[in-house]
């Protein structure tokens, strides 16, 4: 991604004005995400095709909880996600019966094997990030979101015990990811949304466990926080202390320009998922150029608010990767 001025991840992380910002897009690989070898192969192929500035490994969300007994299947969702067909939390007591899992549990171990495969083939200069779903997100997939929220409010002590088990299991996984050679954790938070939990509820049921899970990864350079959804609690960002933050900036507060006043790290975003799917290459590049203008080319990495849908065209992804710079007279100095 050539430019006449400063470019690259290092410049973005250091807060320099960047003519050509780093770009990172990621997607699911349905069907191929069911074995470590095929997921590693497709993640590497995707990177070889587009040469993004970091590689975020995107397994099915079930990878971290299938050893507790959930089941899911691929039914053609455009984001590449799988549908859960069996939950394991039905009654409040089920939270208290969850066993702590070791990184040697079969499905967790398979994801660690995938990471090692990718790290062995990926350029050492390209940051590698493993997706980690926070404990509340995993709890949602164990129980279903309606059951989780009902239990949180009716049986909080039972849910807290289950969350403690998930937190310890995830903490161990993060430690082992670091040993496998990752350069950062992509931390997915799904319940920091006003229509799901109040801020006070999130501070009770989410934030303490987030901090415990993330403790082993604090020294990694490329940790990336993903605040999923709408009406997100961006006020949590300083407490979670990530160098890079990603959210649906085109669809919910704050915009990139607003976030730059609230956060002193790197903002990842600027592209709508729908633009990559339904618009043409010119519109993709217009959106990218607008994002650069919003940020003045400072502390910014071009990406989407979430995964690239599997139906997005090669041409549109390539257009995002090679977006031209705004004209000099339109640039923010």
């Amino acid at each position: 991604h050539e430019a006449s001025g400063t470019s690259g991840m290092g410049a973005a992380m250091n807060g320099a004005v960047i003519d050509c910002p780093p770009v990172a897009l990621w997607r699911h690989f349905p069907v191929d995400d069911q074995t470590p070898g095929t997921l590693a192969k497709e993640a590497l192929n995707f990177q070889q095709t587009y040469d993004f500035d970091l590689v975020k490994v995107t397994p099915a969300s079930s990878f971290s909880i299938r050893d507790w007994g959930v089941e899911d299947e691929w039914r053609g969702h455009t984001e590449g996600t799988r549908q859960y067909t069996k939950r394991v939390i039905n009654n409040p007591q089920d939270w208290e019966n969850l066993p702590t899992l070791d990184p040697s549990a079969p499905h967790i171990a398979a994801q660690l094997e995938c990471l090692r495969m990718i790290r062995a083939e990926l350029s050492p200069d390209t940051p590698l990030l493993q997706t980690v779903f926070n404990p509340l997100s995993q709890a949602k997939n164990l129980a279903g979101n309606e059951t989780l929220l009902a239990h949180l409010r009716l049986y909080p002590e039972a849910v807290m015990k289950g969350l403690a088990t998930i937190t310890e299991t995830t903490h161990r996984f993060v430690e082992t990811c670091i040993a496998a050679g990752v350069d950062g954790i992509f931390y997915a938070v799904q319940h920091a949304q006003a229509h799901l939990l109040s801020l006070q509820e999130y501070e009770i049921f989410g934030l303490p466990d987030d901090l415990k899970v993330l403790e082993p990864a604090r020294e990694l350079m490329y940790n990336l926080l993903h605040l999923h959804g709408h009406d997100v609690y961006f006020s949590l960002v300083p407490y979670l202390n990530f160098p890079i933050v990603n959210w649906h900036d085109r669809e919910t507060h704050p915009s990139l320009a607003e976030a730059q006043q609230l956060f002193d790290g790197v903002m990842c975003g600027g592209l709508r998922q729908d633009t990559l799917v339904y618009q043409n290459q010119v519109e993709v590049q217009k959106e990218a150029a607008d994002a650069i203008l919003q940020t003045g080319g400072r502390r910014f990495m071009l990406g989407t608010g979430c995964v690239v849908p599997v139906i997005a065209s090669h041409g549109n992804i390539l257009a995002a990767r090679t977006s031209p710079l705004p004209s000099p007279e339109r640039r923010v100095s």
Side-chain angles (χ1 to χ4, degrees):
H1 203 166
E2 298 297 329
S4 59
T6 305
S7 64
M9 281 295 295
M13 300 290 283
N14 292 329
V17 177
I18 303 172
D19 285 339
C20 190
V23 181
L25 299 175
W26 48 84
R27 54 159 286 183
H28 283 283
F29 298 98
V31 179
D32 293 322
D33 59 13
Q34 294 303 287
T35 63
T38 50
L39 177 56
K41 180 180 178 181
E42 291 311 310
L44 288 164
N45 285 343
F46 192 60
Q47 175 63 9
Q48 184 176 19
T49 301
Y50 300 107
D51 191 26
F52 293 121
D53 290 279
L54 61 78
V55 170
K56 182 265 200 192
V57 185
T58 308
S61 64
S62 57
F63 88 89
S64 60
I65 60 171
R66 286 179 75 180
D67 292 305
W68 278 310
V70 301
E71 296 176 4
D72 60 342
E73 62 184 38
W74 165 240
R75 293 183 177 177
H77 195 288
T78 57
E79 287 194 353
T81 53
R82 296 166 66 84
Q83 184 165 329
Y84 284 88
T85 56
K86 178 186 175 183
R87 311 282 188 178
V88 296
I89 303 293
N90 298 295
N91 302 306
Q93 296 83 357
D94 294 335
W95 295 106
E96 303 182 44
N97 294 330
L98 281 178
T100 301
L101 299 177
D102 189 80
S104 62
H107 292 95
I108 296 175
Q111 185 54 35
L112 291 165
E113 181 183 356
C114 174
L115 275 182
R116 296 184 188 104
M117 291 176 177
I118 296 172
R119 183 73 279 174
E121 298 294 328
L122 187 66
S123 165
D125 297 327
T126 302
L128 176 64
L129 279 65
Q130 167 63 35
T131 301
V132 174
F133 294 92
N134 83 328
L136 273 177
S137 300
Q138 294 180 60
K140 175 203 71 174
N141 293 330
L142 288 168
N145 203 47
E146 289 186 7
T147 298
L148 169 63
L149 296 181
H151 286 183
L152 276 178
R153 289 156 182 159
L154 293 172
Y155 314 102
E157 291 184 0
V159 177
M160 293 283 272
K161 290 180 181 178
L163 287 171
T165 299
I166 298 169
T167 297
E168 176 58 27
T169 296
T170 310
H171 183 280
R172 295 179 184 183
F173 176 68
V174 170
E175 288 180 323
T176 314
C177 287
I178 295 169
V182 300
D183 302 288
I185 295 299
F186 179 97
Y187 196 64
V189 172
Q190 300 178 340
H191 287 82
Q193 303 182 63
H195 67 280
L196 294 178
L197 295 176
S198 69
L199 181 57
Q200 182 180 26
E201 285 176 319
Y202 193 86
E203 289 172 344
I204 294 170
F205 296 107
L207 186 58
D209 291 336
D210 291 335
L211 296 176
K212 291 175 186 176
V213 165
L214 293 166
E215 190 277 330
R218 283 301 178 200
E219 300 305 314
L220 297 181
M221 285 186 62
Y222 296 100
N223 290 328
L224 197 162
L225 172 65
H226 172 61
L227 291 174
H228 186 80
H230 297 84
D231 300 314
V232 295
Y233 295 125
F234 206 81
S235 60
L236 291 168
V237 168
Y239 298 98
L240 291 168
N241 193 30
F242 276 75
I244 311 170
V245 174
N246 168 246
W247 73 105
H248 300 254
D249 64 280
R250 292 291 186 180
E251 302 165 38
T252 192
H253 176 82
S255 67
L256 289 171
E258 292 166 335
Q260 208 165 37
Q261 308 304 313
L262 303 171
F263 171 59
D264 61 5
V266 175
M267 296 162 294
C268 177
L271 296 173
R272 291 180 180 88
Q273 292 170 297
D274 283 357
T275 301
L276 285 173
V277 172
Y278 300 114
Q279 301 300 316
N280 58 32
Q281 295 172 34
V282 171
E283 294 304 313
V284 170
Q285 294 188 334
K286 282 183 180 178
E287 207 162 71
D290 174 76
I292 296 170
L293 286 168
Q294 283 193 56
T295 60
R298 188 186 297 275
R299 295 187 283 112
F300 174 62
M301 178 166 61
L302 183 66
T304 59
C306 198
V307 294
V308 173
V310 297
I311 58 173
S313 72
H314 166 71
N316 276 359
I317 298 174
L318 194 62
R321 186 65 184 99
T322 58
S323 295
L325 305 176
S327 60
E329 64 272 14
R330 292 183 61 209
R331 290 218 208 137
V332 178
S333 59

